[in-house]
Amino acid sequence: MLRKAKRIIVLSGRDKKIINRYYGIPPDKIENIGPALMPELHAFQKEMFSPPRKVAFLGSMKRLENRDGLQWFVKYILPECPKLEITIIGETTPESVIEHSQLKYLGYIDDIEAIILEQDLMIAPLFSQAGIKIKVIESLLLKVPVLGSINAYSGLPRPKGKWCSNNPEDWIEILNGEDNFWFDGI
């Protein structure tokens, strides 16, 4: 069906490359509208003087990619950050909850913006490759730093330093210490 389309609209440069590579669609038939949808995503910096105290993860635990990312975080990061408590914002079911003493579940929240604004930073350990991660955009629009995996920033400019990494040591360093957040915007 993609080959029959006159024009294909995607939300990220990465998606454009995927459609071109896997389906052989010429790049001139694929339009990336992602940047046009996010004109308010401006550069900002936040100084982090001490280890963050308020850290949250936004995402429905019913979604496999969110559970997988959080399980990675619990396995590789939390053992090295014993004082850290992570607030999980989003739908859960009894079978989707990851039991851990450092995880606190809020469930579904109507006013996500208010909760995000209370955080020192958000985490986005996401390893699914397609699309733009709306949870990352929401946090950045509110000028709340996001410590994310490489795929969390798919289709977006990456922050400077170790804030965009799949390396657990980088995450541990940021969560246990001081590292300023700098995002260049779109």
Side-chain angles (χ1 to χ4, degrees), residues 78-91:
L78 278 184
E80 303 302 321
C81 302
K83 295 181 181 180
L84 189 64
E85 181 178 274
I86 305 296
T87 301
I88 313 300
I89 307 161
E91 289 183 287

Side-chain angles (χ1 to χ4, degrees), residues 66-177:
N66 288 332
R67 283 195 316 275
D68 287 348
L70 196 57
Q71 286 173 333
W72 174 88
F73 185 82
V74 167
K75 180 177 181 180
Y76 296 107
I77 312 302
L78 278 184
E80 303 302 321
C81 302
K83 295 181 181 180
L84 189 64
E85 181 178 274
I86 305 296
T87 301
I88 313 300
I89 307 161
E91 289 183 287
T92 62
T93 60
E95 57 275 0
S96 69
V97 170
I98 299 168
E99 295 293 338
H100 194 281
S101 63
Q102 290 171 260
L103 300 180
K104 179 178 105 183
Y105 290 87
L106 289 184
Y108 177 82
I109 302 291
D110 285 325
D111 190 1
I112 293 173
E113 184 175 312
I115 299 291
I116 292 173
L117 286 169
E118 292 175 357
Q119 306 306 311
D120 293 326
L121 65 90
M122 300 293 289
I123 60 166
L126 304 170
F127 300 98
S128 172
Q129 295 187 356
I132 292 179
K133 310 311 184 255
I134 301 300
K135 64 186 92 209
V136 175
I137 294 169
E138 287 184 71
S139 299
L140 295 174
L141 283 170
L142 295 170
K143 304 211 179 318
V144 175
V146 178
L147 175 57
S149 59
I150 291 168
N151 285 324
Y153 279 95
S154 175
L156 296 168
R158 294 180 180 178
K160 294 184 176 164
K162 299 177 179 182
W163 287 83
C164 177
S165 174
N166 290 354
N167 182 346
E169 289 79 22
D170 293 341
W171 284 60
I172 293 163
E173 183 178 323
I174 288 172
L175 292 168
N176 282 330

Side-chain angles (χ1 to χ4, degrees), residues 31-46:
E31 183 180 356
N32 174 13
I33 65 165
L37 297 175
M38 301 174 277
E40 298 89 24
L41 197 53
H42 300 294
F44 73 97
Q45 180 177 7
K46 184 169 181 183

